[in-house]
Amino acid sequence: MQKILNKANKDIVILVFGKVLQIIIALLAVRLLTTFLSESEVGSYYLLLTLLTLFNFAFLNPVGQYYNRYVLYWKQNANLSNANAMLLLSRAVGIILSLFVATFIYFIFDYSTLFQFTHFILFIFISLIASSYLAFLNVINLIGNRLLFIKYLLLSLVLGISLSIIINLYISDTGMAWLYGIALAQILLFLPMYNNINNFDKLNVKLLSRKISVIQCKRVMFFSFPVMITLFLQWGQNSSYRLIVEDKYTVEVLSYIAVGLAVATSIFTAVESLATQYFMPNYLNQINNGTSEERSAAWNYLASYMIPIYFLLMMYVIFTAPFLMKLLVNEKYHNAYSYVMIGASIEFFRVCSNLIYLVSQSEVKTKTTIIPYLTGFTIMICCLYYFDANDALWLIPSTLSFTYFLISAMLYFNMKKLLAIKLAFGNIIFSFLLSSFFCTLFFLNKEQNILNSILIILVFGGVFLFFSYLIFRRASLKYGERLFNLDKVDIK
């Protein structure tokens, strides 16, 4: 038992250290992006990023989620290399489909004023090939090699930023050029990383050919097709506003809103991925062979501290928003801190939705998630297209926040029908009481210099970490649960 706890402590130290570095690098990237690129090119950057996210969500990630659901099973049965080969094959098909859709989008939205067609298609092709790096990077974490995962993650981030700066300085100072730097870094690192994953067993072509059957394809499609629809709707909820804003207003307006929301997204994504990297392997182990009661216990325990910590993070970002913008973006975007504040609420409901969404995967009933996302997406599109926000641009992110709240609520009630999940309202109230401390920032002058802004962010960041520890400890004590013994939890 002591060895397990020592390994747990070592893992959490590695992940926290790596995640802190990832946050620093990610936020530094926002600062560099807004410094090197003009407002219009920052808008183009987020427009291209939106399209790449669409193709990944619609054509690549659905099969990837099926793969992630069974990756530990395949590893245990010495079948991981075969599964890897199948995932690469499915991604190749998805990339080809994406190019046809990209061509359609290019002419429908008339992007000829922003990009040359051949440059646009080549960029989409190379970027989607590069995205396989992230798909397989996640496998390294799921199979338990946390240190190697952190090394490859940080290396790709640092190399990507470095190449982006070099390309922007010496070749082209555009949003597309910046993204090319990131894609090139991922391509360079893909082969050595992929070889690490395939060390566990050998590719068996005969076995692989037998596995490619109509029955197996139907099984994958039955799981993946509802996921594809849900992920498309998630993309619509998260990112499609950029297409609407660019089309209805201007690319400069898009850049201001997108930069503000990106700061909130960077912080939440880092915390969410830390939780995913550390707790997801244990959660997947628990649900692989667990009973319905054990699966619900695993989710309830996870949610009992993650949702309160997410709420605490939302309050931290809201009240530190002016100081974050002073530090993290170029001075031309400093007044966009109101978008960071609204973005924090968007991200809170987004990560909560992702947490609830896990239930559909554990029960392998992914079609139950379609209606909530379809409802939210439809309401958002109608509001953004049919209401003019020229005089109140803050209404645009506010619409996203409201519809994500609606999605979270609908998902929760749908997932309760699949599994006996419960929210730990006592812990949420405890988090709310702790977060009131951040209200003291309301009385500080927002016009602080960079040094004071850094001090405020660090001090209150330390308070956030301490409060998060209290929430986690309270959840562990309340439910009589330890991380590596989830099956004994008793949620009441």
Side-chain angles (χ1 to χ4, degrees):
M1 187 65 179
Q2 187 61 41
K3 288 183 178 179
I4 294 176
L5 292 176
N6 288 338
K7 184 181 184 302
N9 291 333
K10 181 181 177 181
D11 282 350
I12 195 65
V13 168
I14 290 172
L15 284 176
V16 169
F17 178 72
K19 193 53 59 178
V20 169
L21 289 178
Q22 184 190 356
I23 293 173
I24 293 171
I25 295 169
L27 296 177
L28 176 62
V30 177
R31 176 81 190 198
L32 293 170
L33 177 75
T34 56
T35 300
F36 279 92
L37 302 183
S38 65
E39 288 93 331
S40 60
E41 287 301 331
V42 170
S44 295
Y45 165 88
Y46 282 110
L47 187 63
L48 290 169
L49 195 62
T50 300
L51 295 174
L52 291 176
T53 306
L54 167 63
F55 301 136
N56 273 287
F57 273 28
F59 300 113
L60 304 180
N61 288 5
V63 176
Q65 287 198 12
Y66 180 87
Y67 172 92
N68 288 341
R69 175 65 176 83
Y70 294 102
V71 66
L72 294 179
Y73 171 81
W74 288 322
K75 178 179 176 293
Q76 292 165 2
N77 290 274
N79 202 25
L80 186 57
S81 294
N82 295 330
N84 292 341
M86 287 300 300
L87 182 59
L88 281 177
L89 179 61
S90 71
R91 289 183 69 85
V93 173
I95 290 171
I96 293 171
L97 291 174
S98 297
L99 294 179
F100 285 107
V101 177
T103 302
F104 177 76
I105 290 174
Y106 180 88
F107 290 106
I108 286 293
F109 285 92
D110 191 21
Y111 286 152
S112 58
T113 57
L114 297 174
F115 319 105
Q116 290 185 25
F117 176 70
T118 52
H119 293 174
F120 177 78
I121 291 297
L122 181 63
F123 166 78
I124 296 295
F125 178 68
I126 292 176
S127 296
L128 291 181
I129 289 176
S131 68
S132 297
Y133 175 83
L134 296 177
F136 284 98
L137 179 62
N138 185 51
V139 178
I140 294 179
N141 175 65
L142 290 176
I143 60 182
N145 198 334
R146 308 275 167 85
L147 182 58
L148 187 63
F149 170 84
I150 291 296
K151 286 180 178 178
Y152 272 112
L153 175 65
L154 296 180
L155 185 57
S156 64
L157 289 174
V158 173
L159 184 59
I161 291 176
S162 302
L163 291 174
S164 294
I165 293 173
I166 292 170
I167 292 173
N168 271 258
L169 285 176
Y170 298 105
I171 300 176
S172 173
D173 57 347
T174 62
M176 183 180 286
W178 190 275
L179 287 166
Y180 259 125
I182 297 170
L184 182 57
Q186 293 173 350
I187 290 172
L188 291 173
L189 294 172
F190 177 79
L191 190 57
M193 181 202 63
Y194 186 76
N195 287 336
N196 270 289
I197 300 171
N198 279 352
N199 281 337
F200 296 99
D201 50 62
K202 293 183 179 181
L203 183 66
N204 188 328
V205 178
K206 291 184 179 179
L207 178 62
L208 190 61
S209 62
R210 291 200 303 270
K211 287 291 183 180
I212 303 176
S213 63
V214 175
I215 295 176
Q216 182 63 23
C217 288
K218 283 183 178 179
R219 182 182 302 167
V220 175
M221 288 303 298
F222 181 77
F223 179 95
S224 301
F225 187 70
V227 172
M228 181 183 73
I229 297 175
T230 300
L231 288 178
F232 170 76
L233 295 172
Q234 284 182 353
W235 167 85
Q237 186 65 34
N238 294 337
S239 306
S240 67
Y241 79 91
R242 297 171 185 166
L243 302 180
I244 300 172
V245 171
E246 187 276 332
D247 184 53
K248 190 174 179 180
Y249 304 98
T250 66
V251 73
E252 286 80 13
V253 168
L254 169 61
S255 73
Y256 276 90
I257 296 176
V259 165
L261 299 188
V263 171
T265 300
S266 296
I267 296 171
F268 266 87
T269 300
V271 173
E272 183 188 27
S273 61
L274 173 62
T276 300
Q277 289 152 22
Y278 187 71
F279 297 117
M280 190 55 64
N282 297 317
Y283 177 76
L284 289 176
N285 271 323
Q286 182 68 18
I287 67 174
N288 256 342
N289 300 305
T291 64
S292 175
E293 291 77 13
E294 289 169 340
R295 293 196 302 274
S296 65
W299 189 91
N300 289 340
Y301 178 63
L302 187 66
S304 71
Y305 54 85
M306 285 314 308
I307 291 178
I309 289 175
Y310 287 150
F311 180 83
L312 191 70
L313 181 61
M314 176 183 70
M315 298 300 288
Y316 168 75
V317 173
I318 287 174
F319 286 102
T320 59
F323 314 110
L324 287 169
M325 293 300 275
K326 180 80 68 175
L327 176 65
L328 300 177
V329 299
N330 189 268
E331 127 181 71
K332 59 194 173 190
Y333 292 102
H334 284 176
N335 290 330
Y337 68 83
S338 59
Y339 299 128
V340 181
M341 300 171 78
I342 301 172
S345 66
I346 295 172
E347 288 301 307
F348 171 70
F349 293 122
R350 181 188 67 81
V351 294
C352 287
S353 296
N354 289 348
L355 188 63
I356 299 168
Y357 178 76
L358 287 176
V359 175
S360 69
Q361 291 185 309
S362 76
E363 303 308 292
V364 198
K365 295 180 179 178
T366 50
K367 64 181 181 180
T368 54
T369 62
I370 294 175
I371 295 300
Y373 282 103
L374 178 61
T375 303
F377 178 55
T378 304
I379 293 174
M380 185 202 71
I381 290 293
C382 291
C383 290
L384 293 185
Y385 257 122
Y386 293 107
F387 292 100
D388 187 357
N390 263 310
D391 297 325
L393 293 173
W394 59 270
L395 288 173
I396 295 172
S398 296
T399 301
L400 272 64
S401 180
F402 169 74
T403 50
Y404 241 129
F405 161 74
L406 191 62
I407 290 169
S408 299
M410 292 181 68
L411 270 178
Y412 177 69
F413 287 111
N414 276 9
M415 295 305 105
K416 279 181 67 70
K417 297 174 184 177
L418 299 181
L419 202 63
I421 62 171
K422 297 179 182 178
L423 294 180
F425 286 106
N427 284 4
I428 296 173
I429 294 172
F430 181 61
S431 175
F432 175 79
L433 295 175
L434 291 176
S435 67
S436 62
F437 176 78
F438 297 130
C439 295
T440 56
L441 286 168
F442 181 78
F443 301 100
L444 291 182
N445 184 1
K446 294 179 177 59
E447 298 300 323
Q448 301 285 340
N449 59 39
I450 290 183
L451 288 178
N452 286 343
S453 296
I454 292 174
L455 183 62
I456 291 168
I457 291 168
L458 290 178
V459 169
F460 281 85
V463 172
F464 163 74
L465 292 176
F466 175 66
F467 284 171
S468 297
Y469 166 75
L470 293 181
I471 290 170
F472 179 76
R473 186 171 179 272
R474 186 177 191 273
S476 299
L477 292 175
K478 180 177 174 60
Y479 299 118
E481 179 53 51
R482 291 189 183 277
L483 181 61
F484 301 103
N485 195 22
L486 293 175
D487 56 322
K488 294 181 181 179
V489 68
D490 180 23
I491 304 292
K492 293 184 179 179

